[in-house]
Amino acid sequence: MRAFGKKRTEVPDIVERAVVVGAGIGGLLAGRVLAESFGEVFLVERDVLPEGPDARKGVPQGRHLHSLATRGSRILEELFPGFDAELAAAGCPLLDQAADAVTELPAGRLPRFRSGITMRAASRGLIEERIRRRLERLPNVRFIEGREVIGLLAGEEGRVAGVRARLRGAGDHEEIGAGLVVDASGQGSRAPRWLEEIGYEAPRETVVDARLGYATRWYRVPEGFSGDWKGLAVVPGWPEGSRGGTLREVEGGLWTAVLIGLGGDYPPTDEAGFLEFARSLPSPAIHDAISRAEPVSPVYGYRRTANRRRHYEEARIPENFLALGDSACYLNPSYGQGMSAAALSALALRECLDGRGVRGLARRFHRRQRRAVAPCWTASAGSDAQWSARSPEGLSLPRRALHHLSGGVMRLAVEREDVAARLLAVKNLLEPPSSLARPGVLLPALRRVLAWRAPVGRARSTEPAGASQGIE
């Protein structure tokens, strides 16, 4: 065992250093914010980081489609000025989410119009690589690759003193002292166990699992393709319609096709099964597109989609230990809000530091982070809780009423551009969900619910469950 840079007895005195566990999106954004307040920032990553925009083992869903909501994109631009232009120069198309996308809801197709709500369509690998390059230019930021954090160093007066880390596969470990430790290691975070090992509490957890799985394949955009869209989305409808999918153009002249199945109705990962699943969707648009395109990858499957919230804001933990992003609140990736939630968490960290140091930081930050990502949790976990119920009879009365009301809003969005724009604004975290309860939306939506439910004996169409248009 050895200390990183200093002897063991000196570790608690390293107060100007922050250590971030994990160099994914959450860790990178945390590193950017911490660089404003600390003399040194170490990002400790178990993977050896790739030179280019390649997927890596430590990001298990890295080969799948990722969505950056408009709010998340704006935060990245705030933290890294010129970032959007950099993605544009790399060939990432800009999508107006109404004009450039065809969105098929169970209630019908959203209208096509110029909404001004845009998305820069880029692969996860490219976004991560470009952020990493920006951080490497900062003189006080250092990446420590190929190191696995295995525990926390106990400090004095309710604090931690750093982390214990080792080379992947090695038995010996080293100690990295720090005045602040931020766990951004993702949904597989071992921080609850680390805290128990040094006498603190593991946080209470809330888990919502709709047993959703998805499969992804990348295709080359056919030469001479003349479609009037850059993205397609087929949204599942609860409870009968458990299948959906997304197709989106990204950099390099590629399409990313994602097929989604809920309630254990998982899409296959073989070529024939993948195409047959696409054929079974309520709309033929995705199947028709990919059946004429050249695949450039295998089919990748992913099923670890349970929403998981660790309630650090309630737990007794060291005041200089933080769990950020997926480590605290992991969202079902199919709703496409994980990167934006990480960006919101980074902003919450910046606001909580703001020259106030680490005294009381953990409670301050975790409460603020929970408020910041609450809309993301509501969208993801709320919809998945509905899928978990399997039928309307399994819902509580308030949730059943909300289900019918959301169905009315979706039907209204199919008819009215202003409601469709507001729905997209909520999805992109530009407006709170409560904006859909304004009289101009709520009352017409209620009328549609009553009109839909009134006739006796009418065959009821499947209502939307709020599933996403993009995989995270």
Side-chain angles (χ1 to χ4, degrees), residues 118-152:
T118 58
M119 169 188 294
R120 184 67 67 181
S123 65
R124 162 67 181 263
L126 179 65
I127 292 173
E128 192 172 293
E129 185 258 348
R130 294 306 169 98
I131 296 174
R132 193 164 61 240
R133 296 290 170 254
R134 292 289 193 104
L135 287 185
E136 288 172 344
R137 301 174 199 166
L138 300 180
N140 59 336
V141 174
R142 176 180 175 186
F143 287 86
I144 302 175
E145 304 175 36
R147 299 292 205 291
E148 180 182 18
V149 172
I150 58 173
L152 300 171

Side-chain angles (χ1 to χ4, degrees), residues 448-458 460:
R448 278 154 183 77
V449 171
L450 295 174
W452 177 79
R453 294 180 60 80
V456 177
R458 176 194 290 182
R460 295 181 178 179

